[in-house]
Amino acid sequence: MQIQVSDEAARWYRKELDLQPGTYVRFFPRYSSGGGLHPGFSLGISVEEPRSPGLTERSEEVTFYMEEQDLWYLKGFTLHVTYEESLDDISYIYEEEGAVN
């Protein structure tokens, strides 16, 4: 279980959220009618300092993380956060651990 944020995605977050070096971005599961990795939940983000980080990834001087209490959402998966140039937006790709590409 891990988070991988591409440099291009991190630069997009810095631009879109006006983030300064040393900023923290939290990924967390939130209730939604849309689909994410789990029915009824999708991935939310917020700019806040961690309390009890369970996973962290640093890219482009920004620390991306998920709190320990939220790790159930990624259990058995790696979250790849990438930038889609054609959409000028972020994509979240969930790769099952042990999957062969």
Side-chain angles (χ1 to χ4, degrees):
M1 180 172 29
Q2 61 182 337
I3 298 170
Q4 296 180 348
V5 180
S6 73
D7 291 344
E8 295 83 5
R11 284 192 290 274
W12 182 90
Y13 278 110
R14 285 197 59 178
K15 181 184 81 163
E16 290 296 312
L17 301 175
D18 195 28
L19 302 177
Q20 301 303 312
T23 302
Y24 294 89
V25 175
R26 177 184 177 195
F27 295 117
F28 61 93
R30 64 185 181 120
Y31 293 114
S32 72
S33 60
L37 183 57
H38 300 284
F41 292 91
S42 62
L43 199 61
I45 63 165
S46 65
V47 177
E48 62 182 272
E49 291 198 19
R51 294 184 191 147
S52 183
L55 292 173
T56 61
E57 167 77 353
R58 188 159 172 83
S59 182
E60 297 292 314
E61 300 183 84
V62 174
T63 301
F64 298 86
Y65 73 96
M66 185 171 271
E67 291 283 356
E68 187 76 37
Q69 70 196 30
D70 296 329
L71 292 181
W72 64 267
Y73 188 79
L74 286 183
K75 187 172 182 166
F77 289 86
T78 294
L79 170 62
H80 297 276
V81 182
T82 61
Y83 172 70
E84 297 296 328
E85 186 174 3
S86 63
L87 303 172
D88 189 27
D89 207 352
I90 294 297
S91 287
Y92 300 113
I93 301 162
Y94 302 96
E95 180 183 8
E96 193 167 2
E97 291 176 347
V100 177
N101 291 332

